[in-house]
Amino acid sequence: MTQLVFGGVGVTFGATPLFSDLTFTVAARERWGIVGRNGTGKTTLFRLLTGDLEPAAGSIVRQPGLRVSLLEQHRDFGDASTVWEAAAGELGELLALERSLVEQAGALGHDPPPAALERYGHDLERFEREGGYAVTSRIDAVLHGLGFDPADARATPVAALSGGERGRLGIARQLMGAADVLLLDEPTNHLDLETTRWLEQYLLEFDRTALLVSHDRAFLAATVDHVLHFEGGTATPYAGGYQAFVAQRAERRLAQQRAFEQQRRTIAHEKDYIARNIAGQNSRQAKGRRTRLERLPRLSPPVGAEDAMALRFEPVERGGDQVLTAEDLTIRAGGRTLIEAFSGRVQRGEVLGLLGPNGSGKSTFLKALFGEHPIAAGDLKLGASITAGYYRQDLAQVPLDRSLYDCVASLRPRWERRLVQGHLGRFGFSGDEAQRLAGTLSGGERARVALAMLMLSRANLLVLDEPTNHLDVESIEALEDAIERYEGTVILVSHDRELLRALTTRVWVLHQRHITEFPGGFAEWEEISAERAHAARVRSVEEAALRRVHERQRVAAPASASRARDHQAGKDPRRLLRSARRALEQAEGLVTELEEKVASLTAALEDPALYTRAGGAGEATRLGRELETKKKELDGALDRWSAASEQVEQLARIE
C-alpha cells in the first residue's frame, strides 16, 4: 500500500533553490535510508513530511489519516516527569491504569469490601483487554535495549538526563508511539556498538515504515531496503539496500561522466565548425548550428568524491616507537571506578580502536591522557617526541566566540590571508563564510572546522573521540582515506563499525572496569567474538519474557493472593488451590535456577578476555551451545510458570 508520493517537489529559501524535481514513492513497511552531504536537504525533507514546510513546487500526497512521527531536536517530552513516563508517551493513560492497579492490589486486605474487589476486577479486565501486560513489558524492553535500567527508569527524572541520554530516550519514545511512519534523524549518534546492534534488530522486525537519515554505513547496510540520495540539487531514489545503492551510484556517476564528456566533445566540434564557417560559404548552416547550440541544455559534471573536503594528515616528525604507556592505571569518576589496574602500550604506526559501552570510561581515559582528568593510581604518559592532536567528541576545541578565519589564523599566525582562506576552502568554507562566528555553525560544519584545525597540528599521534558523529557519508569516507594515508599513530574511539573495520590494527575492549587487549583489528574481533553478540541477543529475549511474567505478578498477584486466602476457607476449591500454588512455587524455583544459569553463561560469553585466550573461540562455541540449550529450557519453564499463575488466579476467582 502506497503511503507517500512525492511528485516533482522543489524547495527554495528566498531566491536560493535547495533542491528540485524530487520524485519518489514510499510504500507501507519500507525502510528508506536518506543520505547525502550536509546541507543538501535531508532535514528539509522531514519538515515536508511533517507538514511544517510547504514545497515551492510539485506535490506531496499522503495516505488519508497517515500519522508521522519525528524526534524533535530539543527532545520535548511533554508533561512526563520520569524516564519511563517519557518513553511511554501517548501510552501514559495505560501507565496510569497500571499504577492504580498496583495501588489497589496492595490495599486489598484479608477481607476486602466487595466494591473494592469489583473495581479492581473491572480495571484489571480493561488493562488485560488493552494489552497492558505486553505494552509495559515492551516499554521496558525498548528502554533496556537503548541502555536504560527499566526499574530505575520508573523513578529517574527526565531533568537528570544528559544530552546523549535524552537522545536515546527520544528514540525510545518514537519506537513506542503509534505513528505509521517514523522519521529518525541520525538515530545512532548517541548509541554505542551494542545499542546500535539492538536498534538494527528492532528495525528489522519493525512492522511500520521508517525513513532514516544516517551517516552510519554499517547501520544503513543492515536496516534499509531503499535509499534516497541527495546530490546535485535533487535526490535520486534507489531500490535495494545500501550496498546496492553504492554500486548503482557508481554506475550512475560513470554514465553521467560519459554523457558529460560526449556532450563536451560535441559542443567543441560544433563551435569549431561555426568558427570556421560563420563568414564563409556555409554561413547559413553555421548560424543554424549556433542557434541549436545556444538552445542545447548543458549537462553538469557528476558530483564525485573529489568534491568532498580535502583532508590530509602529515606528521611533522616521526616520533618514538613507544607512543603511549599505561602502568597499573586506575581511573575513577564520580565515586565510581572506570578502569582498574590496566597496563598496556601503543606502538608507533598502530591504529588502536578503543571499544566499550557508553559511560564505561573511554572519553575519560582520553581526558586523563591529556591531563584533563586525574589519575587515581598508576601512570599514563606519552612517549618521547610524541605530539598529539585531539579531536574531542563535544567539539570544544572550536572556540564559539571566534570567526573561522581567526580559528585557523591563530594556529598559523604567519600565514597570509589567501593561505588561511584557501585552507578553509578545502573544508567547504569559501569567500565571506570565513568570517562567520563558529557559534553560528551547525554540528556538521563545526566538525569540519575541527578537522581543519586538527590537520594543522602536524601531530604524529591523532586521538579521535567519535569523529564521525556530525559528518555526512562523503566526509566520513574522506576522513577514512586521510587516516589510511596517515603515517603516524591513531587512537580511535568510535561506534562507526565500517570505519573501525577499515582502519584498526589493534583493539582495546573496556568491559566492567577492565581493558582487554586484542591483537587484531575490529573486523577480526567481530568474527572471533560473534558469541558475545549471540549472548546479548539471548539476554535481551529472556529479559523481555521475564518482564512480561513479572509484570503480571506485580499487577495481579497481590489481589490473587488475597482472594486465595479467602477461598482456602471454603470447601471445594481449597485442595485444588493448594496444589496449584505448590505447582507455581516449583515453577518459580525452576525459573530462578535457569535464570541464574543463563546469566552465568551470558556473563562468561560477554567477557572479552575469553576470546583472547588460547582455545577461547572453541570454549565460546561450547558455551554458546549450552546457552542456547538453557534458553530453551528457560522458555519452557516460563510457559509453565505463566500457566501456573493463571491457574492460581482462576481458582482464586471462584466464589
Side-chain angles (χ1 to χ4, degrees), residues 563-595:
R563 289 194 298 269
R565 287 193 298 269
D566 293 341
H567 290 311
Q568 281 178 356
K571 297 178 180 178
D572 291 337
R574 183 171 55 189
R575 185 176 301 171
L576 289 174
L577 184 58
R578 275 203 305 267
S579 176
R581 295 182 70 189
R582 280 197 299 271
L584 178 59
E585 289 175 3
Q586 291 172 357
E588 286 177 345
L590 181 58
V591 165
T592 300
E593 179 185 336
L594 289 169
E595 273 186 292

Side-chain angles (χ1 to χ4, degrees), residues 84-104:
W84 210 93
E85 289 174 343
E90 57 200 68
L91 299 171
E93 186 177 345
L94 199 58
L95 171 62
L97 180 60
E98 181 217 34
R99 282 199 302 264
S100 173
L101 281 168
V102 173
E103 291 171 1
Q104 290 180 59

Side-chain angles (χ1 to χ4, degrees), residues 45-56:
L45 172 70
F46 279 6
R47 292 180 62 199
L48 290 170
L49 287 168
T50 58
D52 293 334
L53 180 69
E54 291 297 323

Side-chain angles (χ1 to χ4, degrees), residues 2-269:
T2 299
Q3 291 182 319
L4 293 163
V5 178
F6 276 61
V9 172
V11 172
T12 60
F13 292 106
T16 304
L18 180 62
F19 57 76
S20 61
D21 196 27
L22 175 56
T23 301
F24 72 107
T25 300
V26 177
R29 291 184 293 280
E30 289 181 345
R31 297 184 300 275
W32 283 75
I34 315 299
V35 300
R37 292 178 183 163
N38 291 335
T40 54
K42 301 187 298 294
T43 301
T44 301
L45 172 70
F46 279 6
R47 292 180 62 199
L48 290 170
L49 287 168
T50 58
D52 293 334
L53 180 69
E54 291 297 323
S59 63
I60 303 172
V61 180
R62 300 174 179 83
Q63 178 188 357
L66 189 72
R67 295 167 296 180
V68 178
S69 167
L70 171 64
L71 175 63
E72 294 294 339
Q73 182 180 0
H74 300 294
R75 277 90 179 179
D76 181 12
F77 299 112
D79 297 330
S81 59
T82 68
V83 170
W84 210 93
E85 289 174 343
E90 57 200 68
L91 299 171
E93 186 177 345
L94 199 58
L95 171 62
L97 180 60
E98 181 217 34
R99 282 199 302 264
S100 173
L101 281 168
V102 173
E103 291 171 1
Q104 290 180 59
L108 293 175
H110 181 73
D111 188 20
L117 279 173
E118 183 179 355
R119 179 195 172 195
Y120 177 83
H122 178 270
D123 287 352
L124 182 61
E125 188 274 333
R126 178 189 162 201
F127 186 73
E128 292 174 341
R129 184 179 68 251
E130 295 181 7
Y133 294 128
V135 166
T136 51
S137 63
R138 187 159 64 92
I139 295 172
D140 283 348
V142 168
L143 284 170
H144 183 269
L146 290 170
F148 295 97
D149 184 295
D152 292 344
R154 293 176 183 268
T156 302
V158 173
L161 299 183
S162 66
E165 288 170 329
R166 290 178 71 88
R168 287 188 279 126
L169 180 58
I171 296 172
R173 186 181 179 92
Q174 268 197 294
L175 296 180
M176 289 308 306
D180 305 297
V181 178
L182 264 66
L183 308 179
L184 296 169
D185 195 351
E186 299 292 2
T188 65
N189 263 7
H190 302 291
L191 306 185
D192 54 34
L193 291 172
E194 290 184 8
T195 50
T196 298
R197 289 192 185 101
W198 177 88
L199 182 59
E200 283 177 3
Q201 190 62 36
Y202 191 94
L203 290 175
L204 287 174
E205 299 169 358
F206 198 56
D207 61 353
R208 287 174 281 167
T209 306
L211 277 70
L212 320 169
V213 170
S214 181
H215 62 264
D216 189 326
R217 294 163 292 174
F219 178 73
L220 290 169
T223 55
V224 304
D225 48 31
H226 290 74
V227 172
L228 184 67
H229 182 214
F230 280 84
E231 185 178 65
T234 187
T236 304
Y238 293 84
Y242 184 77
Q243 297 301 336
F245 151 70
V246 171
Q248 293 174 54
R249 179 186 61 178
E251 293 173 0
R252 186 184 184 91
R253 284 178 173 173
L254 181 59
Q256 288 176 333
Q257 184 65 39
R258 286 172 176 167
F260 174 75
E261 294 292 345
Q262 177 63 39
Q263 188 184 71
R264 188 168 61 175
R265 288 193 296 269
T266 300
I267 291 172
H269 176 75

Side-chain angles (χ1 to χ4, degrees), residues 251-327:
E251 293 173 0
R252 186 184 184 91
R253 284 178 173 173
L254 181 59
Q256 288 176 333
Q257 184 65 39
R258 286 172 176 167
F260 174 75
E261 294 292 345
Q262 177 63 39
Q263 188 184 71
R264 188 168 61 175
R265 288 193 296 269
T266 300
I267 291 172
H269 176 75
E270 290 293 286
K271 285 182 175 179
D272 178 65
Y273 179 88
I274 293 167
R276 285 187 291 103
N277 294 281
I278 193 68
Q281 185 176 359
N282 297 321
S283 175
R284 186 172 180 178
Q285 291 90 332
K287 289 179 180 178
R289 289 193 182 192
R290 183 173 62 184
T291 301
R292 288 195 299 272
L293 190 61
E294 288 170 351
R295 295 174 179 172
L296 178 68
R298 296 301 199 268
L299 298 176
S300 299
V303 179
E306 63 275 5
D307 297 306
M309 62 179 182
L311 181 62
R312 189 175 185 86
F313 298 122
E314 295 178 332
V316 70
E317 60 178 334
R318 178 179 180 274
D321 290 337
Q322 294 282 351
V323 175
L324 179 148
T325 304
E327 295 286 351

Side-chain angles (χ1 to χ4, degrees), residues 27 43 135 167 196 221 256 364 405 485 498 596 599 616:
T43 301
V135 166
T196 298
Q256 288 176 333
T364 307
Y405 183 93
R485 293 191 301 263
E498 284 298 318
E596 293 173 354

